[in-house]
Amino acid sequence: MRRLDAYRFSQAGPLENDLIDEFAEGGMDRQEFIKRATVLGLSVGVIGSALAALDAPLAFAAPAAAKAGGRLRVGIIPPPTKDVEPYTLADQGGLETAGIAGEFLTRATQTLTLQPELALSWKPNANATVWTFKLRPNVKFQTGEAFGADDVVATYNRLVGPDSGALSAFKGVLSTGGVKAIDNLTVQFTLDAPTASFPYLTSSTTYQAIILPKDYKVGSYTKISPVTGAFRLTSYTPGVGAKYDRNPGWWGGKSPLDGVDATYYSDDAAVISALLGNQIDLVGQVQFATGRALFNNPNVQIFSTRGATHRQVPMRVNLNNPLKDRRVRQAIALTLDRPGIVKTLFNGFADIGNDSPFAPVYPSTNRKVPQRVKNLAKAKALLAAAGYPRGFKITLTTEKVGEIPQLAQIIQRSVKAIGIDMKIVLLTATQYFDGTQDGPPTGYGNTPWLNTPMNITDWGHRSVPNVFLTAAIKSRGVWNAAQYKNPKLDRVIDRFLGAIAASDQRKFAGQIQDTLLRDTPVIFPYFYNYLAAGSKKVKGYKADALGQVYLSRTSLA
């Protein structure tokens, strides 16, 4: 207790002391305390002291020794849809390809905690508008330059620029000029508004935020491997694959694997056959609906982690069609048998969604908000009240990725019960994300995934719901495919993002959840466990809820 008292008296700020007080008063459980403590940058020693004084001490297990040597063969599905350029990444294949070699300030874990990576510690000011990060010393880029604060400043200035994919995380949070070097190993972020979960935005869940040298030339990522990670990208062939060799100068020591050979696949059956045929050792992501042959196979191990990975079904609210009426959108959502969908598509490896980004895995989710359930009578009544008692015709556009085509068929069958004649248009992932994402006619360019009347889009996990709220829900969010605007809700979202206490977060979350159930611009049918599959000789691999393929500590038996 004396060590904890000394920390609170001499080092902790108001946010850290409020967190400890809330834990002591029973405002959160042990697991939630650890998650929030890592976000605020409390050290393992301080967290352990708090648990020892107020709950139960942490227990540590010694890591098992890894066998060195060998090259791991990984299947990536789908391939990158565009150039592998970190700050513009927007697809699964791209983030997996870039992430094998790249590193971030912090890394998110399976338990929603944060681990230091290129930052060793971080600390907020009293209202979470200024965050100061201490960087790891003695790190070198694979191109030979020493890593320091100027590299972080240059990287983040690029990330908040006008054509950055990371605006999904940073728009309204961090602007140009908001990051500066205090000294060579200290960086300070001054935010646009209070953001209690800001360190999560610097983690591997913002997959564009790979730290690059200050003199990095855009377009050279796959040519010179200008990163700090355990592996060096030595070759890259679009649509075919990539090769990585061990980085002998990695700050983390010697990685067990000699290298990694990645092969791209566009078809679930092909990548599953490759694993079962011993042509590859690991698949970055698999789906239960399309990979049933892998489950219960004695030669295959499934890597699973619960998270917030999901599919969004946005419905354009600003077109001259029936979806403009929220009663119609509610009616469509009420046709879905969500427990049945989860059983059919995931065999239980998923949580039921409630038409907001607040996944059950989040501590901030307000569990008092009623769950939406299938109700055809109410759906028909809503449709009739909106002036469509006999239904209407609509087109659903989506991509051939994972279980999404099956979900589209389920929605098609579901809405038929209330008279809606739904046509499905299936595109490849490349076609679906093709085109521009900003500009005329409505500010979202011409890409299908942000402009079709109704679609289904894959969204990766985030450790907190911030990106889902700011990018997909807030007015003018960069990935707001429903093109939904609600200034009153925007203000509540801002209060949620700045809330420090868990009780305040749940209060504002409840208001957001209620509003989205009423307006239903987007259907969130489920949040599923991220699943990967590998041969039994893969050791030390852990599935990442976002889909990062982190192999720095993985080995082969």
Side-chain angles (χ1 to χ4, degrees), residues 228-405:
T228 58
F231 296 102
R232 176 181 175 82
L233 178 58
T234 55
S235 72
Y236 169 70
T237 305
V240 178
K243 292 185 179 297
Y244 308 78
D245 289 341
R246 179 191 290 133
N247 170 20
W250 185 39
W251 58 265
K254 181 180 178 181
S255 62
L257 295 170
D258 293 330
V260 178
D261 300 318
T263 302
Y264 298 132
Y265 293 86
S266 298
D267 179 74
D268 283 35
V271 75
I272 291 166
S273 295
L275 179 61
L276 294 176
N278 194 33
Q279 298 169 26
I280 56 176
D281 306 303
L282 179 70
V283 182
Q285 68 167 334
V286 297
Q287 309 290 333
F288 176 80
T290 55
R292 294 172 192 266
L294 300 175
F295 293 77
N296 299 320
N297 185 310
N299 299 317
V300 172
Q301 54 182 327
I302 299 295
F303 305 96
S304 172
T305 185
R306 190 181 181 212
T309 303
H310 63 276
R311 312 310 189 188
Q312 291 188 19
V313 188
M315 295 172 279
R316 285 279 299 274
V317 302
N318 56 350
L319 292 175
N320 188 25
N321 67 31
L323 299 178
K324 192 172 185 177
D325 191 317
R326 71 183 180 202
R327 292 170 295 187
V328 172
R329 303 192 297 269
Q330 291 174 10
I332 291 173
L334 285 167
T335 66
L336 300 182
D337 172 14
R338 297 165 200 250
I341 292 173
V342 165
K343 175 64 177 174
T344 300
L345 298 181
F346 300 101
N347 197 32
F349 290 107
D351 293 314
I352 293 170
N354 198 25
D355 297 341
S356 89
F358 286 91
V361 74
Y362 292 139
S364 58
T365 297
N366 191 320
R367 288 164 176 74
K368 294 180 181 178
V369 175
Q371 172 65 49
R372 175 169 271 163
V373 298
K374 180 179 178 179
N375 188 333
L376 290 180
K378 185 176 181 181
K380 290 177 180 176
L382 285 166
L383 214 56
Y388 304 99
R390 297 183 179 179
F392 54 87
K393 293 183 178 181
I394 197 74
T395 297
L396 173 70
T397 304
T398 190
E399 51 182 327
K400 297 175 185 175
V401 169
E403 88 296 348
I404 289 179

Side-chain angles (χ1 to χ4, degrees), residues 466-503:
N466 298 32
V467 170
F468 306 143
L469 292 167
T470 58
I473 301 299
K474 279 190 77 173
S475 305
R476 303 303 306 161
V478 296
W479 292 341
N480 184 340
Q483 303 192 18
Y484 169 68
K485 295 180 181 178
N486 186 334
K488 184 178 179 180
L489 181 62
D490 293 344
R491 291 191 287 274
V492 180
I493 290 173
D494 289 340
R495 295 187 187 105
F496 169 82
L497 298 178
I500 306 300
S503 57

